Amino acid sequence: MKGTVVRIWINTLHKLYNKEEIDQILKSISFDPDRAISPLEDISDQTVDSIMTAVARSYNMTKADLWKTIGRNNIGTFYEMYPIFFRKSNMFSFLCSLNNIHQVVRKRIPGSRPAVLNMEIVGRREATLTYLSKRSMYDYLLGLLEGTKEFFKEKADIQVADKAEGRMVLRLQFEYELLEEKSFLFSKLLSLGFIKNQTIKLLFFTLLLGLPTAFLVREPWL
């Protein structure tokens, strides 16, 4: 696990609970809470698990509930660090952009392995989110989604549709029409960022479709 995200988790623990208590817990597992953590530093998954296990035990809660709590509260931290990623019209648009955000993370932090998060529209107001990661951090993801709902002030219903090692599929029910979002994105693609007239957009699209056919049926002497 890269040092950046581990430092974020520790900072979140400091905000959620008593800082001195958290630091004592970290020291009890031989983790120095005051040492500088480099963003590129690799911290073993075992060390992270030891931290969460010790904190959960100290506050008499399950590790699953601790991860959900951290995830829910991390959204605020991520917004402070990367506000541009949150400039979306709603929760659905934000979730659709997560893979692009993770690509930026991979470029900025060599060796990082953020999860794959694929969104797919399956109904008028329904979509599936497929999570793929060897770390299987399901509870943390569910917490992040709860935090996202709170950030965008939405009441999306989230249900686990399928779960296996390294993979979880969630079914999300939104309060608004998702097909309109999909059409809007397609319209933006056709406009190339500057074409506003709908008739011109359709003419441009028809031309694009016709070009391959024109090349296939043209006379050999032309």
Side-chain angles (χ1 to χ4, degrees):
M1 193 73 68
K2 286 300 178 182
T4 300
V5 70
V6 175
R7 172 50 66 187
I8 288 174
W9 290 338
I10 292 175
N11 288 342
T12 297
L13 289 172
H14 283 158
K15 292 177 183 178
L16 289 171
Y17 307 105
N18 182 278
K19 184 179 185 301
E20 287 71 24
E21 291 179 355
I22 292 297
D23 286 350
Q24 286 302 316
I25 294 170
L26 294 176
K27 290 176 182 177
S28 72
I29 59 169
S30 301
F31 188 94
D32 182 3
D34 297 319
R35 76 179 181 87
I37 300 178
S38 165
L40 301 180
E41 180 181 351
D42 286 309
I43 298 176
S44 71
D45 291 356
Q46 183 178 356
T47 297
V48 173
D49 185 66
S50 296
I51 292 173
M52 299 308 168
T53 299
V55 172
R57 186 187 302 118
S58 295
Y59 289 96
N60 195 29
M61 62 194 302
T62 67
K63 199 160 48 174
D65 285 340
L66 177 61
W67 272 122
K68 285 180 183 177
T69 302
I70 291 173
R72 201 173 98 231
N73 286 272
N74 269 176
I75 288 297
T77 304
F78 290 138
Y79 173 70
E80 292 172 4
M81 295 177 64
Y82 309 108
I84 191 172
F85 293 149
F86 288 80
R87 293 177 186 171
K88 305 295 179 183
S89 59
N90 52 38
M91 179 179 174
F92 173 75
S93 297
F94 173 74
L95 294 178
C96 286
S97 70
L98 287 180
N99 273 336
N100 292 332
I101 293 173
H102 282 180
Q103 286 178 9
V104 173
V105 173
R106 290 188 189 97
K107 290 179 180 178
R108 289 187 176 181
I109 307 177
S112 61
R113 295 175 296 162
V116 174
L117 296 163
N118 293 324
M119 285 288 289
E120 181 182 359
I121 294 176
V122 296
R124 288 178 59 249
R125 299 185 178 185
E126 196 169 0
T128 58
L129 173 61
T130 301
Y131 163 91
L132 301 171
S133 173
K134 292 180 179 179
R135 292 192 171 100
S136 300
M137 298 180 67
Y138 309 127
D139 299 304
Y140 178 60
L141 173 62
L142 292 172
L144 286 171
L145 291 174
E146 287 300 318
T148 304
K149 285 171 56 176
E150 293 171 7
F151 179 86
F152 286 98
K153 296 179 174 58
E154 296 189 19
K155 297 180 180 179
D157 180 63
I158 302 171
Q159 300 293 332
V160 178
D162 185 41
K163 186 163 67 173
E165 186 64 29
R167 176 179 178 271
M168 181 169 67
V169 180
L170 300 172
R171 193 170 287 271
L172 291 79
Q173 190 84 28
F174 295 91
E175 300 176 290
Y176 40 81
E177 184 78 52
L178 299 185
L179 296 180
E180 291 179 357
E181 289 282 335
K182 191 172 183 179
S183 300
F184 174 70
L185 291 173
F186 180 66
S187 179
K188 284 187 69 176
L189 178 65
L190 283 183
S191 70
L192 299 179
F194 60 87
I195 301 175
K196 304 299 182 182
N197 187 283
Q198 292 295 327
T199 303
I200 296 177
K201 287 183 184 180
L202 290 174
L203 181 62
F204 177 69
F205 181 55
T206 303
L207 179 62
L208 285 178
L209 289 178
L211 281 176
T213 305
F215 279 111
L216 289 172
V217 301
R218 67 179 182 176
E219 294 296 334
W221 57 80
L222 293 179

